[in-house]
Amino acid sequence: MDFEFTSEQRLLQDSLRRYVDKAYSFEARTALLKAGKDGSADNWGLFAANGWLMAALPEEYGGLGGTLVDTVIIAQELGRGLVLEPFMACAVLAAQTLLATGSEAQKARLVPQLADGTYRIALAYGEAGSRGMPLPVTLQAEPVHDGFRLSGRKSLVLGAVGAKAFIVSAQIPQAPGISLLLVDADRPGLTCQTLPLHDGTWAQALHFDGVEVGADALLGEAGQGLSGLRQGLANGIVALCAELVGGMEKTIEVTADYLKVRQQFGVPIGSFQALQHRMADMAAELELARSSLHAALDAMANDDAVTRDRTVSASKMLICRAAKSVCGQGIQLHGGIGMTEEYLVGHYYKRAVVADLLLGSSDSHEAACAAALQAQLRA
């Protein structure tokens, strides 16, 4: 796989870098957090106007026909700015799940609205017992005369605040397997509990108490939704990993700048060999994480579903752990100021800690890798 950017992708990266550096300052982000907002509608509209929401969506549905590499470029640059808007959750995770499972009619109706930012969907798949993985699913979708009646709970739904609908994984008793249904956020019987996360973003827990939807809410075939759900999750994990790589890049840059100006014994502390070694270790971890991201991109493009999921799980595990290590080192090298809420380096660590638990923790993905390898060896 060729990882050299095309001229269009370099322009995309440059435009995002300029936006984050000039229009999405740490002070602007802090103001949003203090106002209790998970991003802003104006920023989301700007994402749509610049084509970032439609970059990896097919042209026949109003997208630009790009690839996952374009998504990674966007996510990595947004990660550098700790952008609050739910790009990964809505523009990648939910959108790619819809593309993988929806009928032609459903995609033709919904995807153009996702591309222009007027409609936002969130993926509600996690449950208390699944810990961010796609299985198990206990939410029940009981068939009724003109559709389904949903009962159960979903936890930690990313991008749910402001979403107009949810893609919900459920068990239909007459169709063994996982089914996916599109449920409007304002359906009677659906209760949403907003939950603040440690990094300042928000998620929701959903309670379905006899929520009724029509038969046309079913995405794809009943009982056949797991493969599409896994594909959407794989896309979301790769985007999340790219965001963390961007955060590590920025953490190293900020820390290097600080070591040049902070003085001790009359000299910059960056001249101390021990601290130079620490910076070198951080840079080495970043490069390992970047290589792991490239491996995940290659697997997404070329491998079968089983190999793809194993590689993506391995990347999630390695990159999340590297991000916590690098961002934690950044705090230590800053000293006391790195622990303050008013300084940005600590917020990269907070994001790394939260990201480690999203879409399955690094421990859960490590267990998934081990199970896949054992199955391969037995075969």
Side-chain angles (χ1 to χ4, degrees):
M1 185 175 182
D2 184 9
F3 293 107
E4 290 293 328
F5 290 164
T6 65
S7 58
E8 291 82 3
Q9 288 170 338
R10 285 193 293 270
L11 287 172
L12 174 64
Q13 184 182 45
D14 290 343
S15 67
L16 280 150
R17 184 72 59 91
R18 289 195 300 271
Y19 166 74
V20 170
D21 289 344
K22 296 180 180 180
Y24 211 100
S25 66
F26 177 66
E27 291 74 19
R29 180 183 186 272
T30 301
L32 288 173
L33 289 177
K34 288 183 177 180
K37 296 181 179 180
D38 187 10
S40 75
D42 290 341
N43 288 338
W44 193 255
L46 183 62
F47 290 6
N50 285 326
W52 301 339
L53 303 182
M54 64 180 72
L57 299 179
E59 293 182 13
E60 59 266 32
Y61 304 124
L64 297 179
T67 66
L68 184 56
V69 175
D70 300 287
T71 297
V72 163
I73 292 171
I74 297 169
Q76 187 169 326
E77 294 303 318
L78 296 181
R80 289 174 59 90
L82 290 172
V83 169
L84 296 170
E85 284 72 22
F87 173 79
M88 181 277 292
C90 298
V92 183
L93 185 61
Q96 293 299 324
T97 302
L98 177 63
L99 286 172
T101 58
S103 66
E104 286 301 316
Q106 289 167 330
K107 289 186 283 190
R109 177 171 62 89
L110 296 172
V111 176
Q113 299 179 72
L114 301 182
D116 64 18
T118 58
Y119 194 73
R120 194 185 293 181
I121 298 176
L123 177 62
Y125 77 97
E127 299 185 4
S130 68
R131 298 182 180 273
M133 304 301 278
L135 295 173
V137 173
T138 62
L139 189 142
Q140 297 293 306
E142 178 187 356
V144 293
H145 65 283
D146 58 349
F148 303 92
R149 181 182 296 116
L150 280 66
S151 299
R153 294 178 181 271
K154 291 294 179 182
S155 61
L156 204 63
V157 181
L158 304 176
V161 178
K164 295 184 179 180
F166 304 106
I167 297 175
V168 181
S169 61
Q171 293 272 6
I172 298 177
Q174 292 79 2
I178 304 303
S179 301
L180 298 179
L181 300 101
L182 187 67
V183 182
D184 291 335
D186 58 358
R187 296 296 298 179
L190 174 57
T191 304
C192 304
Q193 179 186 4
T194 302
L195 307 169
L197 304 183
H198 184 56
D199 62 345
T201 59
W202 300 81
Q204 284 188 340
L206 309 183
H207 180 207
F208 296 83
D209 185 11
V211 177
E212 295 192 1
V213 295
D216 59 349
L218 182 66
L219 298 177
E221 298 182 14
Q224 303 298 313
L226 182 58
S227 62
L229 176 59
R230 289 191 184 277
Q231 183 173 334
L233 285 171
N235 278 271
I237 289 170
V238 171
L240 181 62
C241 289
E243 178 190 333
L244 291 175
V245 168
M248 283 187 273
E249 286 180 353
K250 188 65 174 180
T251 296
I252 290 175
E253 291 174 12
V254 169
T255 304
D257 289 340
Y258 180 77
L259 297 184
K260 293 174 184 176
V261 298
R262 175 72 167 90
Q263 293 199 353
Q264 188 68 270
F265 308 114
V267 297
I269 62 175
S271 63
F272 301 160
Q273 191 176 58
L275 301 190
Q276 292 173 4
H277 290 171
R278 295 273 289 273
M279 288 294 296
D281 290 342
M282 293 165 65
E285 287 197 80
L286 169 60
E287 289 309 311
L288 285 173
R290 199 191 312 276
S291 296
S292 185
L293 177 60
H294 290 171
L297 279 169
D298 181 68
M300 292 289 292
N302 300 312
D303 291 340
D304 60 84
V306 174
T307 306
R308 174 203 70 197
D309 289 344
R310 187 180 68 207
T311 305
V312 169
S313 286
S315 297
K316 173 70 159 63
M317 173 187 66
L318 186 149
I319 293 172
C320 283
R321 291 175 178 175
K324 290 195 294 184
S325 174
V326 168
C327 298
Q329 292 277 351
I331 292 176
Q332 290 188 26
L333 290 174
H334 276 82
I337 192 175
M339 298 293 294
T340 62
E341 193 73 15
E342 292 76 15
Y343 197 75
L344 79 166
V345 72
H347 292 267
Y348 287 100
Y349 181 72
K350 286 184 179 182
R351 181 56 182 167
V353 169
V354 170
D356 182 46
L357 301 176
L358 301 180
L359 310 183
S361 68
S362 57
D363 291 341
S364 297
H365 282 283
E366 184 176 35
C369 284
L373 286 172
Q374 288 175 344
Q376 183 181 16
L377 292 172
R378 292 193 188 102

